[in-house]
Amino acid sequence: MSFQRPPAGPEGLPPEIAFLLDEGVDARLLARAAAAATAAGTDAATALMNAGLIAESAYYAALARALGAPYLDGPIPFGLGLRFPDSLVAGLAPLAPGAVAPWVLAPRGRAIADLLDAAGRAAGHAAGHAAVPAITSPTRLREAVFASVPGQVADHAAHDLRRHGPEWAAAPEPAFRWLLVLALGGTAALCLCAALPAPLARAVMTAGQVLFLAMATLRIAALAIAAPVAAEAVVPLAEADLPVYTILVPLHREAAVVPDLLRALSALDYPAAKLDIKLLLEADDAETAAALPRDTLPARFEVITVPPGGPRTKPRALNAALPLARGTLITVYDAEDVPDPGQLRLAAALFARLPARTACLQGRLVIDNAGDSRLARAFALEYAGLFDVLNPAFARCGLPVPLGGTSMHLRTVVVRALHGWDAHNVTEDADLGLRLALAGYTVGDLPSPTFEEAPARLGPWLGQRTRWLKGLVQTSLTHGRHPLANARRLGGLETLCAAALVPGTVVSALAYPACLAAAAWSFLVRDIPAAPVFLDNLSTGLAITLFGTGLAALVLPALVGCARRGWGDLARSVPWMPVYFLLVSLAAWLALIELVRAPLRWNKTRHGLARTSRSGRRRRAYPATACDTGT
């Protein structure tokens, strides 16, 4: 719904900015903001501040003078009844007895015009100012609330999901208990199979082989579903019909990429008046805080420092900001991301024509620095298979999709209904994808690229991949507590897809070296005997088929992804993928160890080290060398 504009003030300006003429603000600047607001279908005050035409603090100080109200710019003495997030959502908080006013108000949008109109109608009446609220800026109010009730903020960010949806939250019990139960259960199953009569044991083994074959076949079947990397023609929304869009960007020790990040966010093709960009900092990250030019950032950028607390994870930071999101749609970008400038417009247009059941659109993540090393090339191939082939295919079939940690675009109302992200899961994106499916929502494909930086060295890559696989184990344990109920809720094919992409990914990685060694031994060293009876050959035949199908399921999506991206040079590196998956297996075993020893450890990946850029959109972090300059 478009913003309903109140009657114009002096010189035809909207009342929410017309009073600034008396403050000496240039009328041409105000007219520019009014025109932008009309085009975007929003209020002129937001257009003025979000475009950086006036500082937020200066605007609200002027508003307080126009209203004849006190302006609070320093510490705010809150009274009883202050609550997070309610006070910030309302923009209204109680002040302590004896303060300059009973309440402090940080109005936005139409509320500003209403306040000015009420003040104008009250002019000339004999009335005291005891009931007049004090005025402050939304940023100052948020900073003061976070400083006054940091425990409430930290508790909400860490425990809101567990409090309201414990069955969907990571178990509070130590992970080793669940792993011990699984290990004992697996051992008991093997012992039982060994004790079974030969025909029954063969049947059990065959059933397991068929299950894993079905999972591998599902991945191969996805190759047949068209999912071009360029979006089909979509009728764009008119400027006034575009929704407010919230962008959450968690930052931790990211000072090196702050300039590139701000450049990428500023390049987004979306009305500034309808952007709500929140840069999320940890309380002890002084380096990143110092790199952010807070004094010169337009009001559409909001720097939020998350209060100290545990666990120290990305989803906890996201949860702290979720209640403050002003957008109808919300997305998450990582610090090193360079999204396509038209991504938000495309997502908004697709959401407008999709049913409400489609709660999320997953963008295409593209590794940009594939030229940095052989490891980065393998990473790029893996992402091409996942985000350009598998995920789009499953999304088009309405199957569960483990989301990427960035460029997933969501309906804000749905994320809030699901109580945000699981702060205790270190792969919160995959978990959210499964929770969306369990809640009856689907994920759609967003054919718009976001360029990312991959670790080019083994150490950082191994730490990152260990965290991802640890989170997949956490997700498997969380949603595996009630397997039958969740399977009934999802449906047969959906359950198979979820099992293949989450626990199946981990089990495949764990078993890969043993399967590879067994296959090499069987094919290269010993003969494979042929029994005279068909059923006696079935298990061996399925094992051979499963190995070939599994290998194809790992390699073919990368080849198809390269074809869709036109990456003929990268396709030549596909034969190295079986070696790369040995490293993935190492990370999987390390993930199990870390899940027991440090389940909430967040292995930080350092960014800003890329030396190459396939897209040309990323500025090189390293200075030019003699070889680069040709000298």
Side-chain angles (χ1 to χ4, degrees):
M1 182 181 295
S2 299
F3 176 78
Q4 300 299 313
R5 185 168 302 287
E11 300 192 18
L13 293 173
E16 64 267 24
I17 62 172
F19 71 91
L20 293 173
L21 287 172
D22 295 334
E23 297 284 332
V25 178
D26 191 336
R28 291 171 298 180
L29 184 147
L30 298 178
R32 176 181 163 190
T38 299
T42 187
D43 66 284
T46 300
L48 185 73
M49 289 182 282
N50 277 19
L53 300 178
I54 189 173
E56 183 189 65
S57 57
Y59 175 85
Y60 279 94
L63 176 63
R65 289 191 290 271
L67 294 171
Y71 177 65
L72 302 183
D73 191 29
I76 299 179
F78 291 116
L80 296 176
L82 180 69
R83 295 186 59 82
F84 176 87
D86 307 68
S87 298
L88 290 178
V89 172
L92 181 69
L95 294 178
V100 293
W103 301 88
V104 60
L105 179 65
R108 293 181 184 271
R110 178 62 186 265
I112 297 175
D114 291 342
L115 279 172
L116 290 165
D117 180 59
R121 285 187 281 104
H125 291 75
H129 293 281
V132 175
I135 298 295
T136 192
S137 69
T139 295
R140 184 70 200 101
L141 180 62
R142 190 256 308 153
E143 290 174 344
V145 169
F146 272 48
S148 296
V149 289
Q152 288 188 28
V153 180
D155 180 72
H156 176 93
H159 303 299
D160 194 56
L161 173 61
R162 184 172 290 175
R163 187 178 296 117
H164 294 95
E167 71 281 4
W168 285 354
E173 297 86 358
F176 74 85
R177 295 185 184 178
W178 292 99
L179 294 178
L180 181 61
V181 169
L182 289 177
L184 292 175
T187 302
L190 289 175
C191 293
L192 179 62
C193 287
L196 290 175
L200 193 55
R202 186 189 304 123
V204 172
M205 186 176 195
T206 299
Q209 290 174 317
V210 169
L211 175 62
F212 279 95
L213 185 61
M215 291 182 182
T217 302
L218 186 68
R219 294 171 67 99
I220 293 177
L223 306 178
I225 299 176
V229 296
E232 300 174 0
V234 178
V235 178
L237 295 179
E239 200 97 337
D241 294 331
L242 288 171
V244 175
Y245 225 117
T246 292
I247 300 172
L248 303 181
V249 189
L251 301 172
H252 184 48
R253 302 203 305 268
E254 299 287 7
V257 297
V258 162
D260 287 345
L261 170 66
L262 296 180
R263 189 179 301 110
L265 294 175
S266 298
L268 290 171
D269 177 21
Y270 209 79
K274 290 187 169 180
L275 281 177
D276 171 33
I277 303 172
K278 300 186 186 299
L279 308 174
L280 312 178
L281 301 178
E282 293 294 337
D284 61 353
D285 190 3
E287 183 182 2
T288 306
L292 287 167
R294 297 190 189 214
D295 295 339
T296 58
L297 285 176
R300 67 182 183 273
F301 290 90
E302 183 179 6
V303 180
I304 297 178
T305 301
V306 180
R312 285 287 297 270
T313 59
K314 170 183 172 182
R316 187 184 84 100
L318 295 175
N319 288 339
L322 178 61
L324 313 181
R326 299 194 299 276
T328 304
L329 301 177
I330 190 170
T331 190
V332 177
Y333 289 133
D334 284 342
E336 84 279 15
D337 285 354
V338 182
D340 183 81
Q343 188 171 110
L344 301 188
R345 283 184 182 268
L346 177 61
L350 290 176
F351 270 122
R353 70 179 193 176
L354 287 169
R357 183 169 172 261
T358 302
C360 175
L361 295 175
Q362 175 61 61
R364 307 287 186 88
L365 305 186
V366 183
I367 296 302
D368 198 32
N369 62 320
D372 280 11
S373 69
R374 191 181 297 276
L375 188 61
R377 285 194 291 276
F379 204 135
L381 289 169
E382 186 183 19
Y383 260 37
L386 180 60
F387 288 101
D388 287 330
V389 179
L390 297 178
N391 279 2
F394 295 147
R396 293 187 178 209
C397 294
L399 298 174
V401 175
L403 303 176
T406 174
S407 299
M408 72 287 220
H409 298 254
L410 301 137
R411 300 187 194 271
T412 306
V413 64
V414 174
V415 189
R416 285 177 174 156
L418 295 181
H419 306 289
W421 290 265
D422 189 344
H424 294 78
N425 190 316
V426 296
T427 309
E428 78 294 335
D429 40 11
D431 172 75
L432 181 59
L434 280 190
R435 282 196 285 129
L436 285 171
L438 288 167
Y441 295 103
T442 61
V443 175
D445 175 37
L446 179 63
S448 174
T450 294
F451 297 98
E452 289 208 314
E453 177 186 349
R457 295 184 296 109
L458 179 59
W461 178 92
L462 196 59
Q464 183 187 70
R465 188 54 56 98
T466 296
R467 172 172 60 82
W468 290 357
L469 289 165
K470 180 173 66 174
L472 290 183
V473 178
Q474 288 178 312
T475 302
S476 302
L477 295 176
T478 298
H479 301 293
R481 288 179 297 203
H482 308 288
L484 296 181
N486 286 342
R488 285 194 298 268
R489 183 175 293 175
L490 289 175
L493 186 59
E494 290 82 358
T495 299
L496 179 65
C497 182
L501 294 177
V502 183
T505 296
V506 180
V507 172
S508 298
L510 291 172
Y512 178 72
C515 293
L516 190 63
W521 175 262
S522 299
F523 296 153
L524 302 178
V525 177
R526 60 184 294 267
D527 294 330
I528 301 177
V533 181
F534 171 77
L535 287 179
D536 292 338
N537 290 313
L538 183 59
S539 180
T540 302
L542 280 174
I544 296 172
T545 304
L546 181 58
F547 177 78
T549 305
L551 200 58
L554 292 176
V555 171
L556 289 181
L559 276 175
V560 174
C562 283
R564 291 179 180 175
R565 286 270 163 207
W567 289 351
D569 58 331
L570 274 186
R572 293 194 292 269
S573 297
V574 168
W576 287 97
M577 295 301 286
V579 178
Y580 174 74
F581 287 116
L582 287 174
L583 295 177
V584 175
S585 179
L586 173 61
W589 284 102
L590 291 176
L592 290 184
I593 296 171
E594 191 172 287
L595 185 63
V596 174
R597 299 183 60 185
L600 298 178
R601 178 187 296 161
W602 189 279
N603 299 322
K604 169 64 184 168
T605 304
R606 186 182 173 192
H607 299 123
L609 303 178
R611 294 176 292 179
T612 62
S613 174
R614 293 185 69 87
S615 67
R617 300 188 187 188
R618 189 182 302 280
R619 189 187 63 175
R620 292 181 51 172
Y622 288 140
T625 65
C627 293
D628 297 328
T629 59
T631 58

